[in-house]
Amino acid sequence: MLRTVVPKNARSKRALEARAPKEIESERTTIFVRGSHTGDVLNSAMKDLMLLKRPHAISFSKKNIIHPFEPDGISSLEFWSNKNDATFFVVGTSTKKRPNSLTLVRTFDGKVLDMCELGVTKFVPMEAFKVSVEKIQLNEGLTYHSIQ
């Protein structure tokens, strides 16, 4: 049997209504997290990705000691997902074995669905192109499709 949460005051009622399923869902929020070690290439790549997702993007300014593929890292991502109502994460880390890696994380209902790690080898910033950011009309940078 499913447990139903009954609000005890008006504030908790508004919070439950905001998290309840809607007929037209709000835009998905993306959180950009810098790992403990990130270089200039990775920081500028994350900054350009954030410009494309701008009104619905949150950038964590402090460096976070996070390893997304370990259980502690997954629990941190799930906590941040619930706290900020975010469904997508971009985690930038740089280690000796994997320099300049971006980890893309999808969540659903506060749980991590899947992760994809990408390596940044050559990066050209958006300033190198003559098109302004306002003229770019992109909804999603990556699209995931499932078979089922």
Side-chain angles (χ1 to χ4, degrees):
M1 187 164 112
L2 293 173
R3 184 177 68 112
T4 58
V5 179
V6 179
K8 296 186 179 185
N9 54 28
R11 182 180 176 189
S12 60
K13 183 178 179 182
R14 285 191 305 267
L16 283 175
E17 287 174 357
R19 290 180 185 246
K22 301 172 191 134
E23 195 169 313
I24 299 173
E25 292 288 330
S26 58
E27 185 71 28
R28 294 181 176 186
T29 306
T30 304
I31 297 179
F32 290 85
V33 182
R34 287 179 16 193
S36 57
H37 300 288
T38 55
D40 293 335
V41 172
L42 200 56
N43 286 336
S44 57
M46 288 176 63
K47 202 174 290 184
D48 281 358
L49 284 173
M50 196 170 77
L51 284 175
L52 294 174
K53 190 73 177 159
R54 183 177 291 183
H56 306 289
I58 300 170
S59 177
F60 285 0
S61 58
K62 292 184 180 179
K63 291 185 177 183
N64 297 286
I65 301 172
I66 185 167
H67 304 287
F69 291 99
E70 294 180 2
D72 292 337
I74 292 173
S75 63
S76 296
L77 292 172
E78 289 173 350
F79 171 75
W80 290 334
S81 174
N82 285 329
K83 185 174 181 184
N84 296 299
D85 195 26
T87 57
F88 200 70
F89 287 91
V90 177
V91 181
T93 56
S94 185
T95 61
K96 190 174 182 180
K97 285 185 177 181
R98 292 186 181 96
N100 298 330
S101 66
L102 285 175
T103 306
L104 307 175
V105 182
R106 273 194 324 162
T107 62
F108 179 75
D109 198 23
K111 303 293 180 195
V112 172
L113 281 181
D114 54 358
M115 291 189 252
C116 176
E117 189 171 31
L118 306 172
V120 180
T121 55
K122 184 179 178 185
F123 174 70
V124 179
M126 283 197 304
E127 292 108 25
F129 301 102
K130 294 183 180 181
V131 178
S132 66
V133 177
E134 289 79 24
K135 292 183 182 177
I136 298 174
Q137 297 293 324
L138 293 177
N139 289 336
E140 298 177 1
L142 290 173
T143 304
Y144 290 96
H145 294 283
S146 69
I147 296 170
Q148 298 176 356

